[in-house]
Every structure is written in C-alpha cells, then in structure tokens.
C-alpha cells in the first residue's frame, strides 16, 4: 500500500530541484519553439531568473531537527538550506551578468541558461545528500553541465581546450571518488553517512581499507575545490571559459565541494577525525601558499583570480582542520561572502572587456579609475574584500576562520593563514594601483551597462558591506545550520 503522506513529504523536500528542472526544460522548449529567430532572447533570461526566485521561495527554514526523505538518502536541514540559498544566489547573479554578455559573445543559446539551472540542481544534491551515492550523483549532474558551459563558445579554440582539459581531469577525479565510495562500502557495509559513523564507533576505529577509501574521497573532492595538488586545471579553465561561466564555476562548484566535504567528514568520518585532520592541515598550508605565491606573478586578471580562488580554498580548509562549530559556521559565512565579492568582480570584468574577452590583462585596466570611476570604486571594494580588509565581508570571514583554528589549538596554522592573507594584499592592490596610478594603455570604448548587470553589481556591493558591518545575524543563521551536522 502506498504511503501517500510520505510520498507528499518526499516531493515537498525536493521542490526547489523540481522547480529548477521544470524551468530548465521550459527554457529549452521556449528556445526551440520560439517563432522569432532573432538574437533577442530576453525571455529566456527572464524565465531562468523566475525559476531561481521560485526555487528560492521553496527554500525555507527547516525544523529544529534534521529531516530525511527518500529512505533517508536526502537530508532536509538548515545546513543544506543555507547552501541552497548560496547556490541559488550564485545562479541568479550569473544569469544577471550573462544577459548582455552572451549576446556580445555570440553564445545566446537556450541551453546556456538551462545548463546553469541543471548544474545548480547538482549542487543542491551534493549539499543535501545523506549518503555517498546521492552526493556522487549530484557531483556528476553539476560537473557535466559545467563541462559543456566551459566550451559553449564552439568557435573559440581556447574554450575548446579548456572544456576538454576540465572534462578529462574531471572524469579522472570522478574515478577516484567512486573507487573511494566502493572501498568505504566494502569496509563498512553502508554508504549512509550516519551509519558509517556508527559502524566506526562500534568497531573502535577504522581499518586500512576504510582509510584508503577516505583518502580517495579527499582526492575526488579536492579536484572540485581546486586544492593543491589537484589544482592544475583551474588557471587554464578559468582563462579559456567565457567570463560569466568562469564567475559561476569559481563559486558554485567550490561551494558544493565544501558542502559535501563538511557533511561527509563532520558526520561520517568524525570518529576518526585525528586521521584526516593531519591531511587537511598539509593541504590547507600548501593550497593557500601555492595559490597566493603564484598569483603574485600573473598578468592576466582571470588567471590571477584563478590562483586567488585556490588560495581561498586553502583558507576554507583551515576550518576542516579545526573541526569545530566555529570553523563550520565560519566556512558557511566565508562561502557566502566569497560568492558576493567574486561574482561582483567578474561582473565588472565583463563590463570592461570587449568582444572575445580581449581586455583581461591587468595593465588593460590602467586609467579605469579616471575614465569610469564608479566601476573602479566597485572593483576596488570587491578586491579589498577578497584581501580581507575591513569593513568588508572578506575580513569577517577570515576572522572567523582563523579564530576557529586558534580555538582548536592550531595557532601555527592561523599564523600561516594570516601571513598568506598579507601576501594576497599585494596582487589585489596591484590591480587598484593600475586603475588609479597609470595612464590608460587603451581606450575604454563602447562600455554599456545593462540594468541586469547593474543589479548584480549593486546586490554584490550591498551584500559585501552588510556582511562586513553587520555580520551577527548571518552568523546566528550559520550557527543554527551547523547544529544538524553532529
């Protein structure tokens, strides 16, 4: 006999996913069936934004305790819903900055918006997965969509190269992840996160087969967050992808990767935290140091932001080393802050650059502060936030991350993090110096700003300042979110 109430509950738990999937298909059908074959496809952007907004409406606060659906494979808690908000914010801002950009670049296809929505579905599955297989399915849905988006400009050789490189390395890392899941299942007899934790506690530790599987999971997810030594794809893919997609993939997949990492290691693998804390300690130091040092010598702003993204992944890994509530809540806050300041930065890069993204060298921004002062001021704010300068969101995010390390006794790691943050100030300030203290090397011609990209920049600016000046309310929300992990 069918349990109607349980079936309805299952459907309600995935309403945001159903909405995004439905609007993704509507966008595709609208594009195919449209009687107008002109380049004006504004309706597709509006439909996509509508889908994101409606999905956001169904992303509400959860009950005081974690709830599960689909035979406890899908988790509904404040942790998942907080990440869902970040994913939807990332998708919405990407659609806003893409509206005019894809027309300029000749990639105004219906599948562009649909793939953004579909990849967001994968991110939600990763954050909400209560078992390893569900997380894996989410990762694949997200990854396949982004592989296509990276190479969506089919006539551009560098985009094709970036897409192929991302696909091959992504497929390779997926093999590691799946093999790790198989080893964990073989050693514990389950793929459910809470049952894995119970098994480890009942057996007073983990056997070598389990530890090997755990290591392979770190490799697979390390690729998605671009941690060293799994970062080699990031600079080339960031540079070759369309700038709007670079913005999307610099935030969305990274947030989804950390959502999965935190849920897996703070629940399933918590009983053996002494084993994996050492690994993440080394990864955190290598990732933030490598990212910052190599970013110092970059002349291409997209490659500089790629290495900057690697460094930010290193800061976030500090929270996993700390393995305490302050670290987890600080990670949620930091990812939200990073979403706003990073997407805001790429929005301005899109505005300044011409067709084929030709203005992406740092020296191309010389004189921007005098020619277009408002754009330069906005970019300055975003860069200072990424450097961790108060009173911006980036400063508060780093403060909570480093505080978590000190709270757990990792004072040396916190000092290394602070030193790396100081190093990063140099290459962020270099862009600001070029904008205000160098004569224009090129003319900034035909810079037009659409209302949608203005909205994206304003939202990012307001969020960056609000989180920096009034962080208490958001931090309270993140503290409620982490209660569901333990």
């Amino acid at each position: 006999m069918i349990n109607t109430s349980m079936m309805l509950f299952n459907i309600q738990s995935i309403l945001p996913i159903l909405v995004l999937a439905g609007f993704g298909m509507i966008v595709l059908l609208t594009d195919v069936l449209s009687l107008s074959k002109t380049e004006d496809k504004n309706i597709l952007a509006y439909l996509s934004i509508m889908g994101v907004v409606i999905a956001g409406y169904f992303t509400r606060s959860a009950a005081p305790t974690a709830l599960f659906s689909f035979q406890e494979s899908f988790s509904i808690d404040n942790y998942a819903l907080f990440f869902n908000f970040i994913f939807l914010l990332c998708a919405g801002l990407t659609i806003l900055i893409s509206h005019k950009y894809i027309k300029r670049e000749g990639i105004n296809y219906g599948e562009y918006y649909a793939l953004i929505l579909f990849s967001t579905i994968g991110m939600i599955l990763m954050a909400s997965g209560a078992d390893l297989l569900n997380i894996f399915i989410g990762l694949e849905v997200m990854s396949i969509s982004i592989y296509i988006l990276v190479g969506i400009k089919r006539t551009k050789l560098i985009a094709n190269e970036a897409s192929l490189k991302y696909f091959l390395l992504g497929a390779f890392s997926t093999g590691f992840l799946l093999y790790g899941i198989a080893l964990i299942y073989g050693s514990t007899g389950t793929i459910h996160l809470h049952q894995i934790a119970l098994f480890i506690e009942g057996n007073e530790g983990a056997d070598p087969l389990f530890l090997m599987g755990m290591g392979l999971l770190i490799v697979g997810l390390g690729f998605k967050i671009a941690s060293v030594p799994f970062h080699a794809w990031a600079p080339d893919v960031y540079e070759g992808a369309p700038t709007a997609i670079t913005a999307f993939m610099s935030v969305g997949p990274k947030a989804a990767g950390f959502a999965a990492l935190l849920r897996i290691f703070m629940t399933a693998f918590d009983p053996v935290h002494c084993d994996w804390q050492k690994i993440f300690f080394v990864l955190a130091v290598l990732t933030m140091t490598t990212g910052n040092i190599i970013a110092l010598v970059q002349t291409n702003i997209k490659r500089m932001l790629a290495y900057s993204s690697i460094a930010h992944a290193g800061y976030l890994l500090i929270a996993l080393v700390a393995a305490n509530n302050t670290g987890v809540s600080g990670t949620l806050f930091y990812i939200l802050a990073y979403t706003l300041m990073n997407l805001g930065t790429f929005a301005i890069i899109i505005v300044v650059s011409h067709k084929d993204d030709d203005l992406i060298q740092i020296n191309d921004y010389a004189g921007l502060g005098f020619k277009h002062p408002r754009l330069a001021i906005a970019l300055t704010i975003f860069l200072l936030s990424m450097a961790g300068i108060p009173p911006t969101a980036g400063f508060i995010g780093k403060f909570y991350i480093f505080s978590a390390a000190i709270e757990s006794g990792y004072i040396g790691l916190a000092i290394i993090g602070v030193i790396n943050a100081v190093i990063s100030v140099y290459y962020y300030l270099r862009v600001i110096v070029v904008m205000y203290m160098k004569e224009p090397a090129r003319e900034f011609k035909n810079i037009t700003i659409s209302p949608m990209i203005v909205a994206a920049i304003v939202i990012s600016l307001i969020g960056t300042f609000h989180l920096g000046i009034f962080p208490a309310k958001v931090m309270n929300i993140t503290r409620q979110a982490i209660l569901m992990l333990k």
Side-chain angles (χ1 to χ4, degrees), residues 457-470:
I457 294 171
V458 169
I459 291 170
S460 299
L461 279 172
I462 292 173
T464 299
F465 273 124
H466 182 78
L467 293 179
I469 300 172
F470 307 106

Side-chain angles (χ1 to χ4, degrees), residues 55-70:
Y57 173 77
F58 289 116
T59 302
R60 301 190 181 118
S61 297
T65 57
L67 303 174
F68 297 92
S69 61
F70 294 99

Side-chain angles (χ1 to χ4, degrees), residues 15-271:
L15 271 178
I17 292 176
L18 294 177
V19 169
L20 291 173
F23 272 89
M25 289 184 282
I26 290 170
V27 167
L28 289 174
L29 287 172
T30 303
D31 185 41
V32 171
L33 301 176
S34 176
L35 297 177
S36 172
K37 298 301 179 183
T38 64
E39 291 299 313
D40 186 13
K41 298 182 180 180
N42 292 336
I43 184 65
L44 303 181
Y46 301 147
L47 284 171
S48 302
I49 287 291
M50 187 184 302
V52 170
V53 171
I54 295 174
Y57 173 77
F58 289 116
T59 302
R60 301 190 181 118
S61 297
T65 57
L67 303 174
F68 297 92
S69 61
F70 294 99
Q71 298 182 339
E72 298 192 352
S73 66
F74 192 85
S75 178
I76 311 139
D77 55 24
N78 288 333
Y79 175 83
L81 296 181
F82 188 88
F83 270 106
N84 289 357
F85 171 77
I86 292 176
F87 302 145
L88 293 171
L89 176 65
C90 176
L93 290 176
T94 302
I95 292 166
L96 289 176
I97 66 177
S98 299
H99 179 234
K100 293 293 184 183
Y101 173 78
I102 61 174
K103 295 180 184 178
R104 186 186 78 192
E105 299 298 318
I107 51 175
N108 194 14
Y109 312 126
E111 57 265 32
Y112 178 93
Y113 294 115
L115 287 168
I116 289 175
L117 298 180
F118 293 150
S119 63
T120 306
I121 291 174
M123 297 173 196
I124 292 173
L125 285 171
M126 288 182 70
S128 303
D131 64 46
L132 294 174
L133 192 58
N134 209 25
I135 291 171
F136 170 74
I137 292 171
L139 184 144
E140 286 303 289
V141 171
M142 174 190 74
S143 299
I144 292 171
S145 300
I146 295 179
Y147 297 153
I148 301 169
L149 285 169
V150 169
I152 198 166
K153 193 165 187 180
R154 297 184 286 268
T155 58
K156 192 174 182 180
L157 184 61
I158 192 173
N160 295 333
E161 179 187 345
S163 180
L164 184 61
K165 185 176 293 185
Y166 192 34
F167 168 71
L168 291 176
L169 291 175
F172 193 61
S173 70
T174 296
F176 280 101
L177 183 67
L178 201 53
Y179 193 28
I181 292 173
L183 291 178
I184 289 169
Y185 178 73
S187 60
T188 64
T190 180
I191 56 173
H192 193 278
L193 301 183
H194 288 284
Q195 291 175 11
I196 291 171
L198 291 174
F199 179 88
I200 297 170
E201 290 173 351
N203 289 271
E204 298 182 354
D207 59 27
L209 189 67
F210 174 87
L211 294 176
M212 188 181 298
M214 184 177 68
L216 292 174
L217 282 185
I218 293 174
V219 173
L221 291 173
F223 173 85
K224 292 303 171 188
I225 64 172
S227 68
V228 174
F230 319 111
H231 68 291
W233 60 273
D236 292 339
V237 174
Y238 277 42
E239 182 182 5
T243 303
I245 298 306
T246 302
F248 182 63
M249 67 184 297
S250 69
V251 175
K254 188 179 296 291
F258 273 103
L261 266 176
L262 286 169
R263 190 179 284 280
I264 292 171
F265 282 86
M266 297 294 286
T267 53
F269 301 160
D270 184 60

Side-chain angles (χ1 to χ4, degrees), residues 277 281 321-324 402-414:
Q277 277 179 310
F281 184 100
V321 178
N324 55 28
F402 298 152
S403 297
I406 294 171
E407 185 180 312
S408 291
Y410 292 96
I411 299 174
L413 182 60

